[in-house]
Amino acid sequence: MNPQSRLVDKAAAVLKAGGLALAPTDAGYALVWALESKAAEERVQRLRELDSKHPFTLLCRQLSEAGRLARLDDPAFRLMRSLTPGPCTFILPASADLPKRIKNSGRSKRRDIGIRLPDHLVTRALLEAMGEPLLSTSLLLPDETDPASHEAEVVAERWLRWADVMLDAEDCEPGPTSVVDCTGDAPEVVRQGFHPVAL
């Protein structure tokens, strides 16, 4: 399914203006917003009842972009190259280039970040239109442990009232992502997702 560039550009304009979007990924729909949009992030925190320490995931276009925001040693780089793009989140040490707003949020200083390179045409087109990474979080209300649905219609019905725009790409593969922690001596799977990973 080819994303319509006009609609993708429209969503990117909403995000660049500080808005909040619902975007399809390879692990369910997600809420996404621009790196510098503190207002959109505060909306997400209120909606999901998250404190300021909650870490959000950065969606990147390519490994080189991830490598600017995080410190990638050789094992982490090789692992990411073999598992991306795909439904896998990597916890990595933050680099000096991570925007100050993100680095200084929550904990005294954020020393690690979650990064993923989604394998979904529409979200990849959105990232290209933005020209920079996006922050993201899964569609969970305070009392939920799993998103209610990855079907576009259900997502729109439940979530569109809180977002400014939705990129409807029909139903998504379910999540969650697998999570690989690359901050220790050796990479470790801390959560197996809908598509399990083997290291």
Side-chain angles (χ1 to χ4, degrees):
M1 175 184 55
N2 276 333
Q4 294 183 16
S5 51
R6 183 179 58 83
L7 298 178
V8 170
D9 290 345
K10 201 170 153 187
V14 167
L15 291 173
K16 286 174 180 171
L20 193 56
L22 286 160
T25 79
D26 48 359
Y29 277 84
L31 282 167
V32 299
W33 61 99
L35 288 181
E36 293 305 326
S37 183
K38 195 170 187 301
E41 190 162 302
E42 285 168 353
R43 283 166 65 189
V44 170
Q45 286 167 337
R46 282 196 301 275
L47 175 60
R48 290 198 51 200
E49 294 181 13
L50 301 170
D51 66 22
S52 61
K53 296 181 180 66
H54 184 85
F56 296 111
T57 301
L58 283 157
L59 303 181
C60 294
R61 291 172 290 178
Q62 55 229 9
L63 269 176
S64 57
E65 196 166 62
R68 275 205 314 277
L69 300 168
R71 295 200 311 275
L72 293 180
D73 59 14
D74 286 343
F77 180 82
R78 282 196 300 272
L79 184 63
M80 284 186 80
R81 197 170 56 189
S82 72
L83 292 174
T84 61
C88 193
T89 302
F90 299 86
I91 300 170
L92 297 155
S95 81
D97 288 345
L98 187 67
K100 272 197 176 58
R101 190 186 78 71
I102 299 163
K103 204 181 289 182
N104 296 340
S105 67
R107 284 174 267 179
S108 49
K109 283 279 194 293
R110 181 144 288 159
R111 291 184 179 82
D112 51 28
I113 48 165
I115 284 187
R116 81 185 196 90
L117 282 68
D119 190 12
H120 195 291
L121 277 174
V122 174
T123 294
R124 292 175 73 78
L126 180 62
L127 288 166
E128 286 297 336
M130 290 296 292
E132 63 174 31
L134 287 168
L135 284 157
S136 72
T137 192
S138 45
L139 300 185
L140 290 174
L141 288 170
D143 53 350
E144 296 174 338
T145 49
D146 292 303
S149 175
H150 301 286
E151 293 170 20
E153 210 170 291
V154 180
V155 167
E157 204 173 286
R158 293 193 87 209
W159 288 87
L160 202 45
R161 71 191 90 162
W162 294 305
D164 303 304
V165 65
M166 175 175 174
L167 284 165
D168 182 345
E170 298 174 0
D171 303 350
C172 281
E173 282 257 309
T177 60
S178 292
V179 178
V180 180
D181 188 342
C182 298
T183 59
D185 296 335
E188 180 190 356
V189 179
V190 291
R191 177 178 79 193
Q192 286 289 13
F194 182 75
H195 292 282
V197 298
L199 301 186

